[in-house]
Amino acid sequence: MLSTELNALLPDLYTLLDGLRGRRIVGHVELVASDAGRVLLVRTTKKLHEDDVQRLTAFAEQNSLIFYLQQEDDAASRVCGEQPFYSLGNQALAFEPQDFIQVNADINEKMIAQALDWLALDDNDTVLDLFCGLGNFSLPLAAQVKSVVGIEGVEEMVSRATDNAARNALSNARFYHANLELDPAETVWGKESHNKILLDPARAGALGVMPYVAQSGAERVVYVSCNPATLARDSQVLLENGYKLARLGMLDMFPHTGHLESMALFVKD
Ligand SMILES: C[S@@+](CC[C@H](N)C(=O)[O-])C[C@H]1O[C@@H](n2cnc3c(N)ncnc32)[C@H](O)[C@@H]1O
């Protein structure tokens, strides 16, 4: 369900896009409700006529939107408005429209609170956050533990997470770029010891890194999943290696769709 503030834009936005000279080359429109304001991203398959760019910009300014344009093969660039961010408590996480962010802010906050609770954190913990994105779990974790190491496959997101930690004055969070389909045994972070692990993979799951997680000796593992099938498959690796399923929960992250967010807590026997 789209937020009210984004829904309210749709009629005028539709009229605007339909009236553009280049309406047939508009391939993708994205709206995000950020805490810096509403974000509009328009992607086109060819360059728009300058009149169209001006009309879109005027619409964005009139509606106080943060407006990004991504034309042809160019990268998305911000035409007007501030850097978007979302807040988690007193932390602010900057993002760009192409970044992965959790789509449902209310459920995201509940999910983070539950993950932190299930990990039973204390200030001696060294936590590994696999598939960390721009630091959605890593930053709230870092505020409560000794150190956090976040691992992410998209380099831009690793930079974003690093910048987000610095902006929030968290010096105990480090981020590394890695493909988690591969065995991390020879990486810097793979040789370190982490007593708690959180993982939040994409729909494909985390099969490649599960043997590492299962052999890590971590006391607690929280697995956040948007695909129950891969969660069930990957859980087997933990269950076969001395972990017990202690808690299982579902969150309605994607209302009015068939998709479901699940969380599972595994505890070392
Ligand atoms: C469901 S998102 C979760 C991101 C973050 N934990 C959050 O809550 O916003 C999954 C993340 O895994 C990353 N990812 C996907 N495949 C990966 C891989 N093979 N290796 C490392 N990261 C990967 C994606 O870029 C994405 O940031």
Side-chain angles (χ1 to χ4, degrees):
M1 198 168 64
L2 199 59
S3 72
T4 320
E5 55 182 330
L6 296 181
N7 245 332
L9 267 183
L10 293 182
D12 289 349
L13 181 59
Y14 180 82
T15 307
L16 171 75
L17 294 172
D18 198 40
L20 294 180
R21 292 180 186 218
R23 69 193 164 102
R24 291 188 199 289
I25 58 168
V26 174
H28 179 112
V29 175
E30 195 171 313
L31 291 169
V32 185
S34 91
D35 287 322
R38 296 173 296 182
V39 180
L40 166 67
L41 166 71
V42 176
R43 284 200 196 127
T44 62
T45 52
K46 293 182 185 152
K47 296 268 192 249
L48 282 172
H49 191 282
E50 192 46 39
D51 288 352
D52 284 348
V53 175
Q54 280 177 15
R55 289 184 64 190
L56 284 163
T57 308
F59 176 82
E61 286 171 350
Q62 276 155 21
N63 289 282
S64 306
L65 305 181
I66 302 167
F67 173 42
Y68 286 79
L69 192 53
Q70 183 169 13
Q71 304 205 65
E72 228 170 0
D73 297 327
D74 293 352
S77 69
R78 181 151 38 100
V79 180
C80 63
E82 295 172 37
Q83 165 77 55
F85 71 89
Y86 65 93
S87 305
L88 292 173
N90 59 4
Q91 298 179 340
L93 281 80
F95 66 91
E96 293 292 330
Q98 68 274 18
D99 294 343
F100 174 92
I101 55 166
Q102 301 285 351
V103 293
N104 187 323
D106 292 343
I107 298 291
N108 185 40
E109 284 183 26
K110 292 193 172 78
M111 178 171 78
I112 294 167
Q114 185 153 294
L116 270 54
D117 180 43
W118 284 5
L119 285 169
L121 301 170
D122 73 49
D123 49 17
N124 281 319
D125 286 334
T126 55
V127 185
L128 184 62
D129 178 11
L130 298 172
F131 306 92
C132 68
L134 47 72
N136 185 52
F137 290 98
S138 328
L139 269 58
L141 280 166
Q144 294 194 26
V145 302
K146 186 172 172 193
S147 65
V148 176
V149 173
I151 311 300
E152 165 58 41
V154 175
E155 283 205 54
E156 293 76 20
M157 302 281 273
V158 178
S159 311
R160 204 97 62 227
T162 306
D163 292 347
N164 279 329
R167 281 202 189 133
N168 288 282
L170 294 163
S171 55
N172 60 341
R174 282 177 286 135
F175 297 91
Y176 294 96
H177 177 231
N179 177 0
L180 291 169
E181 286 172 16
L182 307 175
D183 179 6
E186 293 310 312
T187 61
V188 173
W189 57 271
K191 290 181 182 154
E192 294 173 355
S193 124
H194 310 277
N195 70 326
K196 294 181 180 166
I197 298 180
L198 181 140
L199 63 161
D200 177 22
R203 290 184 61 74
L207 199 55
V209 79
M210 288 316 292
Y212 172 83
V213 174
Q215 297 299 322
S216 67
E219 301 149 31
R220 283 173 179 248
V221 175
V222 168
Y223 191 135
V224 178
S225 164
C226 55
N227 183 350
T230 50
L231 171 62
R233 179 199 66 193
D234 296 349
S235 297
Q236 281 304 319
V237 183
L238 293 172
L239 299 175
E240 286 160 9
N241 283 277
Y243 283 88
K244 276 197 173 147
L245 178 63
R247 306 283 295 265
L248 183 63
M250 314 287 156
L251 294 153
D252 196 9
M253 179 71 91
F254 317 99
H256 307 296
T257 76
H259 293 279
L260 190 67
E261 190 84 356
S262 318
M263 295 178 70
L265 167 66
F266 298 89
V267 178
K268 184 98 182 142
D269 247 357

